[in-house]
């Protein structure tokens, strides 16, 4: 079922970017110097938006919980110094108010907030009448309805510059990922809300630097619209998520290694594809006339059987037909399930022709 969410295209957000949007920056803003130094490094790369967390939703108490409001100015000024828009996580209406007052360009809602409608609704209420883009991370549990619900709450408040971020799901069972991706869910989201931009956060999916490139490439192969990757000037001393942050220079190498999908083919590529499509058109024409010939013969058999008072459906013949066609197809590398489904349709239609004769 399609969900009615009014979402603008990512290209209409007023942010310049290339093949896909790149959001990068530290997990947390820690000091004015750390923010400025990181952003100066990122500004040399194809990075389009700078991120930094100010209010950190830590799993256990006693960890670094973010610098809070003072960081808003550091982030905004660092972005402005390089002409880059900035984004931060908001988890309460007070965060929204402070972030908007500081001129933060894009907001995001974290995975631990998306999960709770009691948290999302007041954020949506605080955003009424405000034309700011909002990105919604998936809830920590693999629940598409909850993710959609958060997007709908924002949309009902009039937010139309919306994006979803896949950052993986918490799993009790250990895996090589910190938060296991479940690509089926963002793909299903794409089907349910076709025009909603979807971004991938390979940093929180991976949990360590080694996996990020692989996850980012998978997201691009699946035609995600952007990537959010954590980058810190000195990851080893980062106050949060130290293992998954990349130095700006390493992020640059990673971005250069990615191979994005391209929306527009070159003239040569288009000519090649069109040549192949013409062959497919001819083959489809042949396929349809063969099906017509096959049905005509089925009708003739039907007429003969009627005249000679024989029953139409001969189970033994059908079993043999299916087996031989599957065997033949398999030898050619065709999928058994595919052939079975096709032959079931053909057989059903043949029987109809035998019983009724061809339709006029
Ligand atoms: C983050 O982006 O730093 C963060 C806390 O992410 P998530 O909500 O995905 O855990
Ligand atoms: Mn983080």
């Amino acid at each position: 079922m399609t969900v009615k969410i009014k979402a603008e295209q990512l290209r209409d957000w007023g942010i310049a970017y290339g093949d896909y949007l790149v959001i990068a920056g530290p997990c947390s803003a820690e000091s004015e110097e750390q923010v400025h130094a990181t952003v100066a490094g990122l500004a040399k790369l194809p990075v389009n938006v700078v991120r930094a967390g100010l209010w950190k939703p830590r799993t256990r108490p006693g960890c670094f919980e973010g610098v809070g409001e003072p960081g808003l100015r550091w982030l905004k000024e660092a972005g402005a110094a390089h002409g880059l828009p900035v984004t931060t996580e908001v988890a309460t209406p007070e965060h929204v108010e402070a972030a908007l007052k500081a001129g933060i360009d894009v907001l995001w809602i974290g995975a631990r907030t998306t999960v709770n409608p009691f948290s999302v609704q007041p954020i949506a209420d605080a955003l009424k009448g405000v034309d700011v883009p909002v990105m919604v991370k998936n809830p920590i549990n693999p629940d598409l309805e909850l993710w959609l619900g958060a997007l709908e709450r924002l949309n009902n408040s009039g937010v139309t510059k919306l994006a979803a971020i896949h950052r993986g799901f918490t799993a009790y069972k250990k895996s090589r990922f910190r938060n296991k991706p479940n690509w089926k869910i963002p793909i299903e989201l794409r089907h349910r809300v076709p025009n909603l931009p979807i971004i991938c956060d390979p940093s929180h999916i991976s949990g360590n630097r080694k996996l990020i490139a692989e996850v980012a490439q998978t997201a691009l192969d699946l035609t995600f619209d952007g990537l959010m990757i954590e980058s810190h000037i000195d990851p080893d001393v980062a106050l949060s998520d130290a293992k998954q942050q990349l130095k700006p220079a390493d992020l640059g190498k990673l971005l250069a290694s990615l191979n994005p999908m391209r929306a527009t083919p070159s003239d040569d590529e288009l000519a090649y594809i069109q040549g192949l499509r013409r062959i497919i058109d001819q083959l489809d024409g042949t396929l349809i006339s063969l099906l017509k010939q096959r049905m005509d013969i089925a009708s003739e058999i039907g007429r003969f059987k009627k005249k000679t008072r024989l029953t139409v459906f001969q189970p033994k013949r059908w079993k043999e037909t299916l087996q031989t066609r599957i065997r033949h197809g398999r030898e050619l590398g065709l999928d058994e399930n595919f052939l079975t489904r096709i032959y079931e349709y053909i057989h059903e239609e043949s029987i109809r022709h035998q019983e009724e004769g061809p339709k006029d």
Side-chain angles (χ1 to χ4, degrees):
M1 189 192 47
T2 313
V3 176
K4 281 214 164 50
I5 288 181
K6 193 171 174 288
E8 281 176 42
Q9 305 284 325
L10 195 53
R11 294 270 174 209
D12 295 332
W13 283 19
I15 296 171
Y17 66 93
D19 290 325
Y20 54 92
L21 182 77
V22 180
I23 306 164
C27 176
S28 302
E30 297 167 7
S31 69
E32 190 160 2
E33 297 67 43
Q34 170 249 8
V35 173
H36 275 272
T38 307
V39 178
L42 296 175
K44 296 184 198 134
L45 311 177
V47 167
N48 315 113
V49 182
V50 175
R51 64 149 283 158
L54 306 173
W55 300 279
K56 298 305 297 178
R58 308 312 300 278
T59 303
R60 306 281 299 271
C63 301
F64 174 64
E65 295 197 323
V67 295
E69 280 202 39
L72 288 166
R73 185 180 58 78
W74 310 341
L75 181 58
K76 185 68 194 171
E77 286 179 1
H82 300 279
L84 285 167
V86 296
T87 181
T88 198
E89 173 176 349
V90 289
T92 67
E94 292 74 29
H95 296 166
V96 172
E97 200 187 323
L100 293 176
K101 211 165 122 208
I104 301 298
D105 305 277
V106 178
L107 307 178
W108 91 76
I109 295 182
R112 291 165 193 78
T113 306
T114 309
V115 89
N116 185 356
F118 284 133
S119 298
V120 176
Q121 191 56 52
I123 296 175
D125 293 340
L127 285 165
K128 262 203 183 104
V130 181
D131 184 32
V132 70
V134 184
M135 307 183 290
V136 181
K137 289 202 173 193
N138 64 249
I140 51 173
N141 52 325
D143 185 339
L144 177 57
E145 298 304 316
L146 211 45
W147 200 359
L148 278 169
L151 291 157
E152 283 176 313
R153 283 175 200 280
L154 292 161
N155 207 215
N156 290 345
S157 274
V159 181
T160 54
K161 293 192 179 98
L162 279 169
I165 303 181
H166 184 35
R167 49 76 78 197
F169 299 101
T170 303
Y172 190 60
K173 225 173 108 202
K174 251 197 146 1
S175 84
R176 61 195 194 108
F177 301 105
R178 176 179 173 199
N179 293 293
K180 230 176 157 189
N182 185 337
W183 303 107
K184 279 202 299 284
I185 294 182
I187 289 169
E188 169 81 15
L189 177 61
R190 172 120 309 150
H191 287 136
R192 301 271 297 268
V193 194
N195 53 337
L196 181 73
I198 307 185
I199 290 163
C200 177
D201 171 348
S203 304
H204 289 88
I205 288 178
S206 303
N208 68 75
R209 285 183 269 282
K210 282 200 292 288
L211 274 178
I212 297 175
E214 175 193 324
V215 175
Q217 185 60 55
T218 303
L220 295 183
D221 293 347
L222 293 171
T223 69
F224 274 56
D225 303 278
L227 298 172
M228 179 192 258
I229 304 182
E230 287 187 339
S231 174
H232 189 290
I233 193 68
D234 190 1
D236 291 338
V237 299
L239 298 179
S240 61
D241 290 351
K243 281 200 245 130
Q244 71 194 31
Q245 301 206 60
L246 291 163
K247 287 190 177 159
D250 293 331
L251 175 65
K253 283 185 208 146
L254 186 149
L255 291 174
S257 77
L258 296 176
N259 197 2
M261 303 289 266
R262 292 175 304 123
T264 349
S266 69
D267 289 350
D268 283 354
E269 288 163 341
L270 195 62
Y272 179 68
I273 293 171
Q274 275 170 343
L276 293 177
R277 282 182 180 156
R278 273 196 292 277
I279 300 178
I280 287 203
D281 291 346
Q282 282 169 7
L283 289 172
D284 279 348
T286 312
L287 212 55
I288 289 171
S289 25
L290 285 174
L291 281 171
K292 162 76 176 137
Q293 285 178 40
R294 197 188 191 284
M295 291 307 153
D296 286 349
I297 294 184
S299 299
E300 173 52 27
I301 293 181
R303 272 192 293 277
F304 181 76
K305 282 181 179 169
K306 213 176 253 160
K307 207 165 68 194
T308 52
R309 308 210 33 81
L310 286 165
T311 56
V312 166
F313 181 51
Q314 307 274 351
K316 196 160 158 271
R317 160 74 185 157
W318 162 233
K319 212 171 141 207
E320 273 166 22
T321 307
L322 191 61
Q323 275 171 357
T324 51
R325 283 19 166 207
I326 287 178
R327 202 179 314 130
H328 182 189
R330 227 197 273 128
E331 279 163 19
L332 299 175
L334 288 171
D335 181 70
E336 175 168 341
N337 204 356
F338 167 68
L339 282 167
T340 307
R341 288 209 322 254
I342 290 214
Y343 266 92
E344 276 167 358
Y345 277 126
I346 292 181
H347 184 238
E348 202 181 296
E349 184 64 4
S350 284
I351 293 207
R352 203 181 60 73
H353 272 254
Q354 289 192 32
E355 280 171 345
E356 300 168 14
K359 269 196 175 144
D360 294 329

